[in-house]
Amino acid sequence: MTSIFTSDKITALRKLLEEAKLIVITSHRSPDGDSIGCSLGLYHFLKKQGYPVVVCHPDIAPGFLQWMPGIKDITLLEREPEIVKPLIADADLIFCLDYHHPSRTGKMEELLVNSNAAKVIIDHHRDPDKDFATLLFSDITSSSTSQLIYDLIESLEKTDLIDELSGTCIYTGIVTDTGSFRFSCTSARTHHIAGEIQKKGIHTWEIHENLFDANSLNRLKLVSYSLLEKLVIYPEYKTAFVWLTQEEEERFEVVKGDTEGIVNQVLSIQGIRLAGFFKESEQIVKISFRSKGEIPTNKLCSHHFEGGGHLNASGGKFVGKIEDAVKKFVTILPNFVEENKAQFE
Ligand code: 5GP
Ligand code: MN
């Protein structure tokens, strides 16, 4: 495997790290296990060596990640703009983790673009913004940005500094972005890194328990309701989806993170190769797609729903009513299946 962490880029990064008086770690909005895992993994690693480092994220992580070590150290733009704005403006070095373009940070985009700091992108999404990055570490074959943080630490020859704190965060990012080592992005390297991290004394069983055995009763009821009442199946297109209105979310007292994973359950149905999830909030409908095999959900999102992502997992949005978002999907579906006929076989 050829590493994206080439010696000239590592030398350049070392210089940036040594000269920086303020280092800010950022990630995309609507955080997930990987964005929190890579941010806090890098944060613990740098903090341990005495670097002046802070983590600033656009918005709060869902409840199922609130146990992660260091989560309370993250400063949120949505909560404390008066703290985050000067940090980003005054930073010398900004890590941009798990996003390919500053627009993925929502309201943080403008602050990032206007900051004179050196920007270091470390990411595994397609088409990274080369103009935005001072230093770019991009590998779309990597399972997760958390895996790339391990690769980075290894390239810096400092894996001995990985401890329970950083190890737990990196492991969590890998577990969540690989669907617990299930998705095709899981490589031998992914397992190797997980094994190396486990040697650091992290409690892997506890991480899985924290992530997956912490459902609220409301969430379980919402999932059951979604599958029982709101599942739409098009067997001829090997496609199924769930859609939830704001009224339904209120009925089940949905909190951030509660709807996570519903789309994967839809995809788990025998014979289904494309799964969707539509969620209404204010004037916008948030859309998630997952697929099996080579069906390009990223194209579906970038062509029709102002979004993008990976081949098998993408997201986007629709401005308007949820019924119209669903209608639009159902209208474009036959063409999408036709265009990707071989992939749906
Ligand atoms: P989710 O369905 O979990 O919200 O997102 C799945 C994946 O799709 C994310 O890991 C991210 O790569 C991508 N994604 C989600 N929303 C957007 C979006 O609005 N724009 C782009 N470009 N990618 C998105
Ligand atoms: Mn990721």
Side-chain angles (χ1 to χ4, degrees):
M1 187 194 88
T2 51
S3 172
I4 56 163
F5 296 98
T6 54
S7 60
D8 55 331
K9 283 191 187 176
I10 285 293
T11 305
L13 180 60
R14 276 207 177 97
K15 190 164 182 291
L16 288 174
L17 281 168
E18 292 319 318
E19 288 173 357
K21 292 188 183 66
L22 176 58
I23 302 167
V24 178
I25 296 171
T26 66
S27 194
H28 59 78
R29 78 171 128 78
S30 302
D32 54 22
D34 187 30
S35 69
I36 300 291
C38 64
S39 297
L40 292 177
L42 181 61
Y43 168 68
H44 289 301
F45 169 74
L46 291 176
K47 201 169 150 218
K48 190 171 179 142
Q49 298 167 80
Y51 286 104
V53 60
V54 294
V55 185
C56 296
H57 280 186
D59 54 347
I60 193 165
F64 77 97
L65 297 172
Q66 288 299 329
W67 58 272
M68 286 181 68
I71 193 94
K72 295 282 181 281
D73 292 355
I74 301 178
T75 313
L76 304 172
L77 178 64
E78 70 173 359
R79 265 200 197 158
E80 299 183 296
E82 71 288 357
I83 296 177
V84 172
K85 283 180 183 175
L87 282 173
I88 291 181
D90 298 341
D92 307 292
L93 172 56
I94 298 178
F95 281 98
C96 306
L97 305 184
D98 202 36
Y99 64 94
H100 70 304
H101 192 280
S103 60
R104 293 280 289 122
T105 65
K107 291 193 176 118
M108 195 180 265
E109 177 177 15
E110 199 188 332
L111 308 177
L112 291 168
V113 171
N114 290 334
S115 172
N116 289 323
K119 322 276 185 349
V120 176
I121 293 186
I122 305 176
D123 184 38
H124 66 138
H125 295 94
R126 276 161 206 277
D127 306 322
D129 188 345
K130 293 193 183 76
D131 299 331
F132 172 71
T134 313
L135 256 183
L136 174 63
F137 298 101
S138 164
D139 181 359
I140 63 162
T141 68
S142 187
S143 75
S144 53
T145 304
S146 296
Q147 177 169 331
L148 292 176
I149 294 298
Y150 184 93
D151 291 338
L152 167 69
I153 294 172
E154 191 179 75
S155 300
L156 291 167
E157 297 175 350
K158 288 189 172 164
T159 51
D160 55 317
L161 291 182
I162 297 177
D163 57 15
E164 202 179 329
L165 295 177
S166 54
T168 296
C169 297
I170 294 170
Y171 187 86
T172 301
I174 292 174
V175 167
T176 50
D177 254 25
T178 59
S180 304
F181 304 100
R182 284 199 309 126
F183 303 150
S184 60
C185 60
T186 311
S187 62
R189 172 86 184 148
T190 314
H191 285 292
H192 171 76
I193 290 173
E196 288 302 307
I197 295 174
Q198 188 156 19
K199 289 184 201 161
K200 305 287 181 183
I202 64 165
H203 304 126
T204 52
W205 56 271
E206 204 169 70
I207 294 173
H208 287 265
E209 198 173 290
N210 284 336
L211 286 171
F212 306 116
D213 297 339
N215 277 310
S216 68
L217 190 55
N218 267 338
R219 178 176 186 273
L220 276 188
K221 286 183 177 172
L222 172 82
V223 174
S224 310
Y225 169 79
S226 299
L227 298 175
L228 194 64
E229 305 283 345
K230 299 301 297 285
L231 180 67
V232 182
I233 306 182
Y234 285 87
E236 68 273 38
Y237 299 125
K238 298 180 180 167
T239 296
F241 63 86
V242 160
W243 59 290
L244 289 177
T245 65
Q246 217 162 353
E247 184 277 315
E248 287 163 329
E249 289 156 35
E250 281 160 19
R251 200 185 324 156
F252 289 94
E253 297 171 25
V254 167
V255 294
K256 208 167 180 173
D258 275 358
T259 54
E260 197 104 351
I262 293 180
V263 68
N264 298 87
Q265 287 193 301
V266 175
L267 189 67
S268 76
I269 302 167
Q270 225 171 33
I272 294 301
R273 299 188 59 77
L274 175 65
F277 178 70
F278 297 73
K279 180 176 183 266
E280 188 179 46
S281 55
E282 306 300 324
Q283 286 306 303
I284 212 160
V285 180
K286 177 80 183 83
I287 304 163
S288 294
F289 288 110
R290 300 291 184 270
S291 70
K292 288 178 186 150
E294 300 290 315
I295 298 170
T297 60
N298 50 342
K299 279 193 193 153
L300 183 59
C301 282
S302 62
H303 292 175
H304 303 288
F305 295 108
E306 300 175 45
H310 310 276
L311 192 73
N312 298 123
S314 301
K317 63 176 194 275
F318 176 88
V319 182
K321 288 198 290 210
I322 189 156
E323 288 81 1
D324 294 331
V326 169
K327 220 175 272 172
K328 176 170 176 176
F329 176 57
V330 172
T331 309
I332 61 163
L333 181 60
N335 267 340
F336 180 74
V337 175
E338 183 60 30
E339 283 164 14
N340 299 280
K341 215 171 175 173
Q343 287 74 28
F344 273 87
E345 292 295 305

